[in-house]
Amino acid sequence: MPPAKKSPLIEIHTPPYWEEACKYLARKDRVMKRLIPQFGDACLESRGDAFTTLARSIVGQQISVKAAQSVWDRFAELPRKMTPANVLKLKVDDMRAAGLSARKVEYLVDLALNFDSGTVHVDAWKDMSDEMIIAELVAIRGIGRWTAEMFLIFHLMRPNVLPLDDAGLITGISRSYFSGDPVSRSDAREVAVAWAPYCSVATWYIWRSLDPLPVVAY
């Protein structure tokens, strides 16, 4: 996911478990013990609302970070406020003129429909398991498991998500634990046994080992 510019108008949240997780991981894992001190007080940050976060992830699919930001900026100017109901009022031609493909327009409309109709149980997510939330999200067109897992980590700040489909995680594990040798999903899962119940935090530090710039959700 791309880095976002900080805005004073957007409330930023950080996980209450971060400090405890770092101490735990440093005790349990030699790589984490080395990595964690390198990044000081930096930690996972969540901002924005669920609908906007998922809409941005759809807009950004299969295009560069720069292109995604440009398209999003044009798209975000169309509704008075970025809400599911307002997106459903937009004209397809206007959405296409903002730079969205026909497929992404369909995905955004489906996302808005699911949020507007209450098919996704946003208010109940706090009491639902990770897998239950993933199941709800992947039922929406244009959202796959990887996107759902990124949402769990960056927006809901769930502590124990292990995104095995993430290329950066696999590359980072290869470099930090296997001297650059190829790593299978099974290898990665084995490494992550020591990370539980804070796989999200360990994953964040593995990402930082590849790119020191913190990654945030919108």
Side-chain angles (χ1 to χ4, degrees), residues 97-129:
L100 292 164
S101 67
R103 182 63 57 86
K104 287 184 181 178
V105 170
E106 292 173 6
Y107 289 167
L108 287 166
V109 168
D110 192 54
L111 177 70
L113 283 169
N114 275 275
F115 269 75
D116 193 56
S117 66
T119 306
V120 287
H121 302 90
V122 178
D123 293 336
W125 281 346
K126 64 182 182 297
D127 299 315
M128 291 168 61
S129 70

Side-chain angles (χ1 to χ4, degrees), residues 198-209:
Y198 297 115
C199 287
S200 300
V201 180
T203 296
W204 189 91
Y205 280 107
I206 290 294
W207 283 331
R208 298 288 61 70
S209 73

Side-chain angles (χ1 to χ4, degrees), residues 10 23 25 46 99 123 147 171 176:
I10 299 175
K23 291 177 181 177
L25 290 169
S46 175
D123 293 336
T147 299
T171 298
S176 292

Side-chain angles (χ1 to χ4, degrees), residues 29-96:
D29 186 282
R30 59 180 175 80
V31 171
M32 290 295 137
K33 185 177 182 178
R34 172 176 58 81
L35 275 182
I36 290 171
Q38 295 179 24
F39 300 98
D41 295 331
C43 72
L44 183 66
E45 293 182 353
S46 175
R47 63 192 69 203
D49 66 277
F51 177 73
T52 300
T53 298
L54 290 167
R56 291 196 76 137
S57 74
I58 289 173
V59 169
Q61 288 174 3
Q62 299 179 322
I63 57 177
S64 71
V65 172
K66 185 176 181 180
Q69 185 65 51
S70 177
V71 174
W72 176 262
D73 288 344
R74 293 195 298 271
F75 171 62
E77 289 177 356
L78 297 178
R80 177 169 294 183
K81 184 181 179 183
M82 187 59 66
T83 66
N86 286 347
V87 169
L88 291 174
K89 294 174 185 175
L90 298 177
K91 295 178 180 178
V92 171
D93 288 347
D94 291 340
M95 295 172 75
R96 291 297 307 277

Side-chain angles (χ1 to χ4, degrees), residues 10-22:
I10 299 175
E11 188 175 357
I12 298 172
H13 302 278
T14 57
Y17 54 78
W18 198 264
E19 185 177 349
E20 177 188 339
C22 289

